[in-house]
PDB file of all heavy atoms in Angstrom:
ATOM      1  N   ILE A 758       2.992   7.953  62.306  1.00 96.00           N
ATOM      2  CA  ILE A 758       2.248   9.108  61.787  1.00 96.00           C
ATOM      3  C   ILE A 758       2.064   9.030  60.276  1.00 96.00           C
ATOM      4  O   ILE A 758       1.408   9.889  59.684  1.00 96.00           O
ATOM      5  CB  ILE A 758       2.974  10.424  62.139  1.00 96.00           C
ATOM      6  CG1 ILE A 758       4.366  10.450  61.522  1.00 96.00           C
ATOM      7  CG2 ILE A 758       3.020  10.643  63.643  1.00 96.00           C
ATOM      8  CD1 ILE A 758       5.066  11.798  61.676  1.00 96.00           C
ATOM      9  N   VAL A 759       2.611   8.002  59.635  1.00 96.00           N
ATOM     10  CA  VAL A 759       2.564   7.928  58.188  1.00 96.00           C
ATOM     11  C   VAL A 759       1.130   7.622  57.719  1.00 96.00           C
ATOM     12  O   VAL A 759       0.438   6.784  58.295  1.00 96.00           O
ATOM     13  CB  VAL A 759       3.545   6.873  57.636  1.00 96.00           C
ATOM     14  CG1 VAL A 759       3.164   5.461  58.074  1.00 96.00           C
ATOM     15  CG2 VAL A 759       3.671   6.975  56.135  1.00 96.00           C
ATOM     16  N   THR A 760       0.707   8.326  56.667  1.00 96.00           N
ATOM     17  CA  THR A 760      -0.632   8.103  56.096  1.00 96.00           C
ATOM     18  C   THR A 760      -0.543   7.552  54.668  1.00 96.00           C
ATOM     19  O   THR A 760      -1.518   6.985  54.179  1.00 96.00           O
ATOM     20  CB  THR A 760      -1.433   9.412  56.064  1.00 96.00           C
ATOM     21  OG1 THR A 760      -0.752  10.358  55.232  1.00 96.00           O
ATOM     22  CG2 THR A 760      -1.607   9.983  57.469  1.00 96.00           C
ATOM     23  N   TYR A 761       0.595   7.745  54.019  1.00 96.00           N
ATOM     24  CA  TYR A 761       0.741   7.309  52.629  1.00 96.00           C
ATOM     25  C   TYR A 761       2.137   6.722  52.476  1.00 96.00           C
ATOM     26  O   TYR A 761       3.133   7.371  52.794  1.00 96.00           O
ATOM     27  CB  TYR A 761       0.582   8.511  51.686  1.00 96.00           C
ATOM     28  CG  TYR A 761       0.512   8.175  50.209  1.00 96.00           C
ATOM     29  CD1 TYR A 761      -0.653   8.370  49.479  1.00 96.00           C
ATOM     30  CD2 TYR A 761       1.625   7.675  49.533  1.00 96.00           C
ATOM     31  CE1 TYR A 761      -0.708   8.085  48.119  1.00 96.00           C
ATOM     32  CE2 TYR A 761       1.574   7.363  48.186  1.00 96.00           C
ATOM     33  CZ  TYR A 761       0.406   7.579  47.480  1.00 96.00           C
ATOM     34  OH  TYR A 761       0.339   7.284  46.145  1.00 96.00           O
ATOM     35  N   LEU A 762       2.212   5.491  51.955  1.00 97.00           N
ATOM     36  CA  LEU A 762       3.495   4.833  51.741  1.00 97.00           C
ATOM     37  C   LEU A 762       3.549   4.347  50.296  1.00 97.00           C
ATOM     38  O   LEU A 762       2.788   3.462  49.900  1.00 97.00           O
ATOM     39  CB  LEU A 762       3.684   3.658  52.700  1.00 97.00           C
ATOM     40  CG  LEU A 762       5.003   2.882  52.588  1.00 97.00           C
ATOM     41  CD1 LEU A 762       6.197   3.806  52.801  1.00 97.00           C
ATOM     42  CD2 LEU A 762       5.037   1.719  53.583  1.00 97.00           C
ATOM     43  N   GLY A 763       4.440   4.931  49.492  1.00 96.00           N
ATOM     44  CA  GLY A 763       4.569   4.570  48.088  1.00 96.00           C
ATOM     45  C   GLY A 763       5.890   3.877  47.812  1.00 96.00           C
ATOM     46  O   GLY A 763       6.953   4.469  47.966  1.00 96.00           O
ATOM     47  N   LEU A 764       5.817   2.619  47.385  1.00 96.00           N
ATOM     48  CA  LEU A 764       7.020   1.827  47.082  1.00 96.00           C
ATOM     49  C   LEU A 764       6.878   1.101  45.747  1.00 96.00           C
ATOM     50  O   LEU A 764       7.419   0.011  45.548  1.00 96.00           O
ATOM     51  CB  LEU A 764       7.269   0.805  48.210  1.00 96.00           C
ATOM     52  CG  LEU A 764       7.673   1.391  49.556  1.00 96.00           C
ATOM     53  CD1 LEU A 764       7.597   0.337  50.653  1.00 96.00           C
ATOM     54  CD2 LEU A 764       9.077   1.975  49.487  1.00 96.00           C
ATOM     55  N   TYR A 765       6.181   1.712  44.820  1.00 95.00           N
ATOM     56  CA  TYR A 765       5.943   1.121  43.504  1.00 95.00           C
ATOM     57  C   TYR A 765       7.252   0.941  42.729  1.00 95.00           C
ATOM     58  O   TYR A 765       8.167   1.758  42.805  1.00 95.00           O
ATOM     59  CB  TYR A 765       4.983   2.048  42.748  1.00 95.00           C
ATOM     60  CG  TYR A 765       4.803   1.737  41.283  1.00 95.00           C
ATOM     61  CD1 TYR A 765       3.951   0.714  40.875  1.00 95.00           C
ATOM     62  CD2 TYR A 765       5.458   2.475  40.306  1.00 95.00           C
ATOM     63  CE1 TYR A 765       3.776   0.430  39.532  1.00 95.00           C
ATOM     64  CE2 TYR A 765       5.294   2.207  38.959  1.00 95.00           C
ATOM     65  CZ  TYR A 765       4.452   1.180  38.569  1.00 95.00           C
ATOM     66  OH  TYR A 765       4.279   0.913  37.240  1.00 95.00           O
ATOM     67  N   ASN A 766       7.337  -0.164  41.979  1.00 93.00           N
ATOM     68  CA  ASN A 766       8.450  -0.421  41.055  1.00 93.00           C
ATOM     69  C   ASN A 766       9.810  -0.366  41.759  1.00 93.00           C
ATOM     70  O   ASN A 766      10.688   0.410  41.417  1.00 93.00           O
ATOM     71  CB  ASN A 766       8.420   0.576  39.900  1.00 93.00           C
ATOM     72  CG  ASN A 766       9.325   0.127  38.731  1.00 93.00           C
ATOM     73  OD1 ASN A 766       9.930  -0.929  38.792  1.00 93.00           O
ATOM     74  ND2 ASN A 766       9.394   0.938  37.699  1.00 93.00           N
ATOM     75  N   ASN A 767       9.968  -1.219  42.764  1.00 94.00           N
ATOM     76  CA  ASN A 767      11.250  -1.413  43.416  1.00 94.00           C
ATOM     77  C   ASN A 767      11.629  -2.887  43.309  1.00 94.00           C
ATOM     78  O   ASN A 767      11.225  -3.546  42.338  1.00 94.00           O
ATOM     79  CB  ASN A 767      11.185  -0.916  44.862  1.00 94.00           C
ATOM     80  CG  ASN A 767      11.283   0.610  44.936  1.00 94.00           C
ATOM     81  OD1 ASN A 767      12.309   1.189  44.637  1.00 94.00           O
ATOM     82  ND2 ASN A 767      10.194   1.259  45.355  1.00 94.00           N
ATOM     83  N   GLN A 768      12.351  -3.400  44.264  1.00 93.00           N
ATOM     84  CA  GLN A 768      12.810  -4.797  44.190  1.00 93.00           C
ATOM     85  C   GLN A 768      12.432  -5.548  45.475  1.00 93.00           C
ATOM     86  O   GLN A 768      13.232  -6.246  46.076  1.00 93.00           O
ATOM     87  CB  GLN A 768      14.319  -4.829  43.958  1.00 93.00           C
ATOM     88  CG  GLN A 768      14.740  -4.147  42.668  1.00 93.00           C
ATOM     89  CD  GLN A 768      16.236  -3.899  42.575  1.00 93.00           C
ATOM     90  OE1 GLN A 768      17.021  -4.601  43.200  1.00 93.00           O
ATOM     91  NE2 GLN A 768      16.636  -2.892  41.806  1.00 93.00           N
ATOM     92  N   ILE A 769      11.187  -5.359  45.877  1.00 96.00           N
ATOM     93  CA  ILE A 769      10.694  -5.893  47.151  1.00 96.00           C
ATOM     94  C   ILE A 769      10.117  -7.279  46.943  1.00 96.00           C
ATOM     95  O   ILE A 769       9.308  -7.497  46.031  1.00 96.00           O
ATOM     96  CB  ILE A 769       9.642  -4.938  47.743  1.00 96.00           C
ATOM     97  CG1 ILE A 769      10.269  -3.545  47.949  1.00 96.00           C
ATOM     98  CG2 ILE A 769       9.091  -5.477  49.048  1.00 96.00           C
ATOM     99  CD1 ILE A 769       9.250  -2.469  48.261  1.00 96.00           C
ATOM    100  N   THR A 770      10.500  -8.222  47.806  1.00 95.00           N
ATOM    101  CA  THR A 770       9.995  -9.600  47.735  1.00 95.00           C
ATOM    102  C   THR A 770       9.018  -9.838  48.877  1.00 95.00           C
ATOM    103  O   THR A 770       8.569  -8.910  49.560  1.00 95.00           O
ATOM    104  CB  THR A 770      11.161 -10.594  47.831  1.00 95.00           C
ATOM    105  OG1 THR A 770      11.707 -10.558  49.162  1.00 95.00           O
ATOM    106  CG2 THR A 770      12.272 -10.247  46.841  1.00 95.00           C
ATOM    107  N   ASP A 771       8.698 -11.104  49.108  1.00 95.00           N
ATOM    108  CA  ASP A 771       7.764 -11.469  50.180  1.00 95.00           C
ATOM    109  C   ASP A 771       8.282 -11.046  51.555  1.00 95.00           C
ATOM    110  O   ASP A 771       7.502 -10.729  52.456  1.00 95.00           O
ATOM    111  CB  ASP A 771       7.519 -12.976  50.171  1.00 95.00           C
ATOM    112  CG  ASP A 771       6.749 -13.413  48.934  1.00 95.00           C
ATOM    113  OD1 ASP A 771       6.068 -12.562  48.334  1.00 95.00           O
ATOM    114  OD2 ASP A 771       6.872 -14.582  48.545  1.00 95.00           O
ATOM    115  N   ILE A 772       9.602 -11.042  51.712  1.00 96.00           N
ATOM    116  CA  ILE A 772      10.177 -10.620  53.001  1.00 96.00           C
ATOM    117  C   ILE A 772       9.818  -9.163  53.259  1.00 96.00           C
ATOM    118  O   ILE A 772       9.363  -8.783  54.345  1.00 96.00           O
ATOM    119  CB  ILE A 772      11.700 -10.821  53.000  1.00 96.00           C
ATOM    120  CG1 ILE A 772      12.038 -12.306  52.878  1.00 96.00           C
ATOM    121  CG2 ILE A 772      12.327 -10.226  54.267  1.00 96.00           C
ATOM    122  CD1 ILE A 772      13.518 -12.576  52.690  1.00 96.00           C
ATOM    123  N   GLY A 773      10.028  -8.321  52.245  1.00 97.00           N
ATOM    124  CA  GLY A 773       9.668  -6.912  52.386  1.00 97.00           C
ATOM    125  C   GLY A 773       8.177  -6.725  52.558  1.00 97.00           C
ATOM    126  O   GLY A 773       7.738  -5.840  53.307  1.00 97.00           O
ATOM    127  N   ALA A 774       7.368  -7.563  51.881  1.00 95.00           N
ATOM    128  CA  ALA A 774       5.915  -7.471  52.040  1.00 95.00           C
ATOM    129  C   ALA A 774       5.517  -7.738  53.482  1.00 95.00           C
ATOM    130  O   ALA A 774       4.583  -7.119  54.016  1.00 95.00           O
ATOM    131  CB  ALA A 774       5.231  -8.459  51.098  1.00 95.00           C
ATOM    132  N   GLY A 775       6.253  -8.647  54.143  1.00 96.00           N
ATOM    133  CA  GLY A 775       5.972  -8.908  55.550  1.00 96.00           C
ATOM    134  C   GLY A 775       6.240  -7.688  56.423  1.00 96.00           C
ATOM    135  O   GLY A 775       5.468  -7.375  57.330  1.00 96.00           O
ATOM    136  N   TYR A 776       7.335  -6.967  56.131  1.00 97.00           N
ATOM    137  CA  TYR A 776       7.612  -5.726  56.876  1.00 97.00           C
ATOM    138  C   TYR A 776       6.528  -4.677  56.622  1.00 97.00           C
ATOM    139  O   TYR A 776       6.103  -3.968  57.541  1.00 97.00           O
ATOM    140  CB  TYR A 776       8.975  -5.169  56.460  1.00 97.00           C
ATOM    141  CG  TYR A 776      10.153  -5.958  56.997  1.00 97.00           C
ATOM    142  CD1 TYR A 776      11.115  -6.479  56.132  1.00 97.00           C
ATOM    143  CD2 TYR A 776      10.322  -6.165  58.368  1.00 97.00           C
ATOM    144  CE1 TYR A 776      12.190  -7.192  56.609  1.00 97.00           C
ATOM    145  CE2 TYR A 776      11.408  -6.881  58.852  1.00 97.00           C
ATOM    146  CZ  TYR A 776      12.346  -7.401  57.973  1.00 97.00           C
ATOM    147  OH  TYR A 776      13.418  -8.104  58.461  1.00 97.00           O
ATOM    148  N   VAL A 777       6.067  -4.577  55.372  1.00 97.00           N
ATOM    149  CA  VAL A 777       5.010  -3.610  55.058  1.00 97.00           C
ATOM    150  C   VAL A 777       3.726  -3.970  55.809  1.00 97.00           C
ATOM    151  O   VAL A 777       3.014  -3.083  56.315  1.00 97.00           O
ATOM    152  CB  VAL A 777       4.764  -3.552  53.536  1.00 97.00           C
ATOM    153  CG1 VAL A 777       3.560  -2.667  53.217  1.00 97.00           C
ATOM    154  CG2 VAL A 777       5.999  -3.029  52.798  1.00 97.00           C
ATOM    155  N   ALA A 778       3.421  -5.253  55.869  1.00 96.00           N
ATOM    156  CA  ALA A 778       2.238  -5.684  56.611  1.00 96.00           C
ATOM    157  C   ALA A 778       2.324  -5.266  58.085  1.00 96.00           C
ATOM    158  O   ALA A 778       1.332  -4.830  58.694  1.00 96.00           O
ATOM    159  CB  ALA A 778       2.081  -7.201  56.491  1.00 96.00           C
ATOM    160  N   ARG A 779       3.524  -5.365  58.653  1.00 96.00           N
ATOM    161  CA  ARG A 779       3.696  -4.961  60.065  1.00 96.00           C
ATOM    162  C   ARG A 779       3.593  -3.442  60.220  1.00 96.00           C
ATOM    163  O   ARG A 779       3.124  -2.945  61.249  1.00 96.00           O
ATOM    164  CB  ARG A 779       5.049  -5.471  60.566  1.00 96.00           C
ATOM    165  CG  ARG A 779       5.069  -7.013  60.650  1.00 96.00           C
ATOM    166  CD  ARG A 779       6.471  -7.579  60.664  1.00 96.00           C
ATOM    167  NE  ARG A 779       7.144  -7.422  61.944  1.00 96.00           N
ATOM    168  CZ  ARG A 779       8.358  -7.892  62.220  1.00 96.00           C
ATOM    169  NH1 ARG A 779       9.016  -8.557  61.273  1.00 96.00           N
ATOM    170  NH2 ARG A 779       8.897  -7.697  63.405  1.00 96.00           N
ATOM    171  N   ILE A 780       4.019  -2.700  59.174  1.00 97.00           N
ATOM    172  CA  ILE A 780       3.821  -1.244  59.210  1.00 97.00           C
ATOM    173  C   ILE A 780       2.338  -0.935  59.209  1.00 97.00           C
ATOM    174  O   ILE A 780       1.857  -0.081  59.973  1.00 97.00           O
ATOM    175  CB  ILE A 780       4.496  -0.587  57.981  1.00 97.00           C
ATOM    176  CG1 ILE A 780       6.016  -0.717  58.072  1.00 97.00           C
ATOM    177  CG2 ILE A 780       4.093   0.891  57.855  1.00 97.00           C
ATOM    178  CD1 ILE A 780       6.750  -0.262  56.807  1.00 97.00           C
ATOM    179  N   LEU A 781       1.571  -1.647  58.379  1.00 95.00           N
ATOM    180  CA  LEU A 781       0.122  -1.424  58.302  1.00 95.00           C
ATOM    181  C   LEU A 781      -0.560  -1.788  59.624  1.00 95.00           C
ATOM    182  O   LEU A 781      -1.494  -1.105  60.062  1.00 95.00           O
ATOM    183  CB  LEU A 781      -0.449  -2.264  57.158  1.00 95.00           C
ATOM    184  CG  LEU A 781      -1.931  -2.076  56.806  1.00 95.00           C
ATOM    185  CD1 LEU A 781      -2.257  -0.618  56.546  1.00 95.00           C
ATOM    186  CD2 LEU A 781      -2.292  -2.934  55.586  1.00 95.00           C
ATOM    187  N   ASP A 782      -0.060  -2.814  60.287  1.00 95.00           N
ATOM    188  CA  ASP A 782      -0.622  -3.192  61.592  1.00 95.00           C
ATOM    189  C   ASP A 782      -0.367  -2.116  62.634  1.00 95.00           C
ATOM    190  O   ASP A 782      -1.240  -1.809  63.465  1.00 95.00           O
ATOM    191  CB  ASP A 782       0.009  -4.513  62.074  1.00 95.00           C
ATOM    192  CG  ASP A 782      -0.532  -5.719  61.309  1.00 95.00           C
ATOM    193  OD1 ASP A 782      -1.653  -5.617  60.769  1.00 95.00           O
ATOM    194  OD2 ASP A 782       0.188  -6.729  61.231  1.00 95.00           O
ATOM    195  N   ALA A 783       0.842  -1.510  62.590  1.00 96.00           N
ATOM    196  CA  ALA A 783       1.236  -0.577  63.647  1.00 96.00           C
ATOM    197  C   ALA A 783       0.753   0.847  63.415  1.00 96.00           C
ATOM    198  O   ALA A 783       0.464   1.570  64.368  1.00 96.00           O
ATOM    199  CB  ALA A 783       2.760  -0.591  63.791  1.00 96.00           C
TER     200      ALA A 783
END
Side-chain angles (χ1 to χ4, degrees):
I758 61 173
V759 65
T760 61
Y761 188 113
L762 180 58
L764 292 168
Y765 170 80
N766 195 2
N767 282 293
Q768 300 167 25
I769 302 168
T770 70
D771 292 337
I772 296 173
Y776 287 124
V777 174
R779 293 160 76 177
I780 293 172
L781 186 54
D782 286 337

